[in-house]
């Protein structure tokens, strides 16, 4: 059954079929442990079947193998892909309520959800609270998410201000830092200036950065 659950989760199994498979395994006397529930949780999240997600979380709690930080990271990342910030924050709150200590990867997943939803105010607030409430230092992924959100909104000044924060935090920018800025550049000259800045800072432009610069000339 463990193999069947794993294969189902990684295939085209529906949420209903996964729930039936777990019920069948339980009837056969199989102990549903954390790895099995984790595969089911991912299946339900990918299917956006949030009722089954909630039932699965409750079953994990009752079964003595409660959801872990990585479980909530899967759920929040699924919300981010669907730009569902409200649900992502609900899962974040449940993790805190369950006395789980957030990790940087979990916090970054929530930042990504805010960015995908276009909610820069929440993104900035969550970034600040990472350090204040949970003693988590934002990393380059955190700041890249913020740069991308500002660039997506067309707020180039805001995106450049984040670059200053990256420098102040003594973090090294990378191609993912600059590519959204290049994509949002108004002219080829601006894009070229950003490419030069990348190189001066020891950041090697990748294909995405060069393609973004070329698009400004089209």
């Amino acid at each position: 059954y463990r193999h069947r659950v794993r294969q189902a989760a990684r295939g085209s199994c529906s949420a209903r079929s996964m729930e039936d498979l777990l019920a069948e395994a339980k009837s056969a006397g199989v102990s549903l442990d954390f790895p099995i529930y984790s595969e089911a949780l991912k299946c339900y999240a990918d299917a956006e079947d949030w009722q089954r997600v909630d039932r699965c979380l409750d079953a994990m709690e009752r079964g003595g193998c409660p959801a872990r930080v990585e479980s909530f990271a899967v759920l929040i990342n699924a919300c981010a892909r669907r730009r569902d910030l409200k649900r992502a924050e609900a899962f974040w709150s449940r993790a805190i309520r369950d006395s789980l200590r957030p990790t940087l990867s979990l916090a970054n997943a929530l930042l990504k959800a805010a960015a995908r939803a276009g909610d820069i105010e929440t993104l900035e607030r969550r970034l600040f609270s990472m350090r204040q409430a949970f003693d988590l230092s934002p990393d380059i992924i955190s700041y890249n998410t913020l740069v991308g959100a500002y660039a997506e909104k067309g707020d180039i000044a805001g995106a450049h201000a984040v670059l200053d924060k990256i420098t102040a935090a003594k973090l090294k920018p990378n191609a993912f830092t600059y590519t959204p800025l290049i994509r949002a550049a108004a002219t080829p000259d601006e894009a070229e200036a950003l490419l030069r800045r990348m190189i001066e800072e020891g950041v090697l432009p990748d294909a995405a950065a060069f393609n973004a610069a070329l698009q400004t000339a089209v």
Side-chain angles (χ1 to χ4, degrees), residues 30-213:
V30 175
S31 177
L32 303 185
D33 55 12
F34 180 79
I36 288 179
Y37 277 125
S38 294
E39 296 287 2
L41 202 60
K42 182 179 183 305
C43 173
Y44 300 151
D46 287 344
E48 300 182 58
D49 193 328
W50 306 116
Q51 288 187 338
R52 282 190 168 88
V53 165
D54 288 337
R55 290 204 296 267
C56 188
L57 289 172
D58 292 341
M60 293 170 77
E61 186 73 32
R62 291 194 304 271
C65 51
R68 304 173 187 172
V69 168
E70 57 266 34
S71 310
F72 286 100
V74 167
L75 297 176
I76 291 174
N77 274 311
C79 294
R81 289 194 294 272
R82 290 153 182 80
R83 295 177 168 80
D84 190 345
L85 177 57
K86 183 177 179 179
R87 196 177 301 276
E89 292 209 301
F91 284 129
W92 172 273
S93 296
R94 178 163 181 165
I96 303 302
R97 190 171 64 248
D98 289 350
S99 300
L100 294 174
R101 182 173 179 79
T103 61
L104 188 55
S105 61
L106 184 65
N108 280 339
L110 186 59
L111 296 182
K112 181 167 67 174
R116 292 293 300 274
D119 191 335
I120 294 180
E121 182 180 347
T122 295
L123 178 50
E124 287 271 21
R125 175 169 51 82
R126 289 297 186 180
L127 189 70
F128 178 76
S129 71
M130 285 170 60
R131 189 188 303 275
Q132 298 299 112
F134 304 107
D135 196 29
L136 293 172
S137 297
D139 62 4
I140 192 61
I141 295 174
S142 314
Y143 284 113
N144 284 355
T145 301
L146 187 54
V147 169
Y150 273 115
E152 185 71 21
K153 286 282 190 180
D155 187 345
I156 306 306
H160 277 280
V162 181
L163 289 180
D164 294 335
K165 292 180 181 179
I166 291 173
T167 301
K170 294 181 169 50
L171 294 171
K172 182 177 175 56
N174 54 34
F176 293 105
T177 311
Y178 280 98
T179 300
L181 276 170
I182 296 171
R183 192 176 293 121
T187 67
D189 286 344
E190 287 181 17
E192 185 178 346
L194 285 165
L195 286 174
R196 283 199 304 269
R197 179 171 175 177
M198 288 178 71
I199 294 168
E200 288 168 0
E201 294 186 359
V203 180
L204 184 64
D206 59 7
F210 280 120
N211 285 337

